Amino acid sequence: HSGEKYAAALAGGVFGGAGGGALDGGDGADMALALQAARAEVAVMVRARAEDERRIAKYRVLVKDLRGKVGEAAEKVDLESSRAESMQQEFEHKGSELKRIRDQYLAAQSELATEREQHANARRELEHARSIIQTAA
């Protein structure tokens, strides 16, 4: 900020302005021209610094906004990750349940095949017994 104070002092004529100030050496016109150039240079530097500060403030706002958006995105990712994990667990549970049902189905099928075989054997025995009875009669 000392540059801004210097620029204000120059602009205000603390150094004497054009032609008869405290820093005026021998040649007033040269000194006035040099002072005017210095004032212009300082004014340019002050404007550039102010512009830089405006840009920095703008970027700070943008960074703050982006941090907020990143935070929101991270929350969404966490939520989606949690949902995916929950769905994975549910899928695994359904898979276990399906395996259990399949095993029950296969056991029932096997039992049914055994009962059919026993029924077929019983029918053959019954037919055999009938033929023996008819032959004896």
Side-chain angles (χ1 to χ4, degrees):
H1 294 274
S2 63
E4 292 172 19
K5 289 179 185 176
Y6 182 67
L10 285 176
V14 169
F15 293 104
L23 294 183
D24 198 3
D27 188 38
D30 287 344
M31 185 57 129
L33 198 58
L35 190 56
Q36 188 176 9
R39 284 182 185 150
E41 186 177 339
V42 169
V44 167
M45 288 173 36
V46 168
R47 279 192 292 259
R49 182 178 176 131
E51 183 61 32
D52 288 347
E53 287 176 1
R54 279 193 291 275
R55 273 195 214 115
I56 289 169
K58 178 182 169 185
Y59 291 137
R60 283 184 179 147
V61 168
L62 290 174
V63 166
K64 184 178 179 183
D65 185 45
L66 286 174
R67 282 184 182 149
K69 288 179 181 178
V70 166
E72 289 174 12
E75 288 177 15
K76 286 180 183 177
V77 166
D78 286 346
L79 180 63
E80 291 301 320
S81 176
S82 177
R83 284 183 185 165
E85 188 176 318
S86 177
M87 288 174 70
Q88 177 67 28
Q89 289 172 352
E90 186 177 336
F91 179 74
E92 288 171 2
H93 176 71
K94 295 283 184 187
S96 296
E97 192 175 331
L98 263 163
K99 183 183 180 316
R100 184 183 57 78
I101 291 170
R102 183 176 177 268
D103 291 346
Q104 286 178 342
Y105 171 75
L106 292 175
Q109 222 177 13
S110 176
E111 188 177 326
L112 181 61
T114 302
E115 287 180 8
R116 283 181 180 159
E117 188 177 321
Q118 289 174 350
H119 181 71
N121 288 341
R123 182 171 274 174
R124 278 193 293 273
E125 287 178 17
L126 181 62
E127 291 298 322
H128 181 66
R130 280 186 183 157
S131 76
I132 292 174
I133 292 173
Q134 283 181 356
T135 311

